Amino acid sequence: IQMSYPDVTDLLKPMGEQDLFSILWNFVGISPGYEIFVGSCELIGSFLLIFRRTYIFGALFMCTVLCNVVALNTFYNISVKLYSALLLISVIFLLLPFFNKLKPFFFYNRKISLEELKYPIVTSWKRYFFIGLGVVMVGGTIVFTILKDYKIYRMELTNKKHQRLYNIAWFVTKDTIPP
């Protein structure tokens, strides 16, 4: 719901009179499918960062998604350029320890192994407890936020789709004489 459906006045405003921020906001707001796709990619990439087995793939995936976000924020002059660039730098920082292992794969077309040392929790009930706790906390937060935002999104979308632009030729109140 970050970029909501544009108002009627925004849709009728000539392109030459809009700034880059408004153009991008209206372009993305008019297409909820693109918004859902990009949001899903961000959510999937974040989810992949949680687990050790998918950590590197998640960081690479988030690099591609955040490159798109940083490019849109920079070239359309969105005010959160620094924040999105900081997120991209953070993901690149997470990949730095694996750079020497990933370089042969991407640049020399060689097979690599990304296996690391593991420090398992020996007691099974502790392992299941921490996994369950993590899933409940992360999943609950995600589901709660999605449901809350979806409710707000549907209300705004319904409100904005019912807007109309009227050409008023004359207006009569109690103390005016009708034409």
Side-chain angles (χ1 to χ4, degrees), residues 90-110:
S90 299
V91 171
I92 291 171
F93 179 75
L94 294 175
L95 282 172
L96 279 179
F98 304 100
F99 179 74
N100 288 332
K101 289 183 175 184
L102 292 172
K103 187 169 83 172
F105 178 75
F106 285 110
F107 296 113
Y108 304 119
N109 198 22
R110 294 187 189 144

Side-chain angles (χ1 to χ4, degrees), residues 48-61:
L48 290 171
L49 284 173
I50 295 172
F51 302 104
R52 181 180 297 277
R53 186 172 277 182
T54 59
Y55 173 78
I56 296 172
F57 178 71
L60 290 170
F61 188 74

Side-chain angles (χ1 to χ4, degrees), residues 111-130:
K111 295 180 182 178
I112 60 169
S113 173
L114 296 173
E115 188 174 5
E116 297 180 37
L117 295 174
K118 295 180 182 178
Y119 303 101
I121 299 175
V122 181
T123 312
S124 63
W125 73 268
K126 287 181 184 177
R127 186 173 74 234
Y128 290 129
F129 174 76
F130 285 120

Side-chain angles (χ1 to χ4, degrees), residues 62-158:
M62 284 302 291
C63 267
T64 58
V65 172
L66 287 172
C67 280
N68 179 39
V69 172
V70 169
L72 287 174
N73 288 343
T74 302
F75 298 125
Y76 283 94
N77 199 22
I78 308 297
S79 61
V80 291
K81 292 183 276 287
L82 186 61
Y83 180 67
S84 59
L86 183 63
L87 288 174
L88 178 61
I89 290 169
S90 299
V91 171
I92 291 171
F93 179 75
L94 294 175
L95 282 172
L96 279 179
F98 304 100
F99 179 74
N100 288 332
K101 289 183 175 184
L102 292 172
K103 187 169 83 172
F105 178 75
F106 285 110
F107 296 113
Y108 304 119
N109 198 22
R110 294 187 189 144
K111 295 180 182 178
I112 60 169
S113 173
L114 296 173
E115 188 174 5
E116 297 180 37
L117 295 174
K118 295 180 182 178
Y119 303 101
I121 299 175
V122 181
T123 312
S124 63
W125 73 268
K126 287 181 184 177
R127 186 173 74 234
Y128 290 129
F129 174 76
F130 285 120
I131 290 173
L133 183 65
V135 167
V136 167
M137 288 177 61
V138 172
T141 303
I142 290 170
V143 168
F144 176 75
T145 305
I146 287 173
L147 291 175
K148 183 182 69 153
D149 289 346
Y150 183 71
K151 181 180 173 186
I152 293 169
Y153 171 75
R154 295 301 298 172
M155 286 178 14
E156 285 183 4
L157 188 64
T158 304

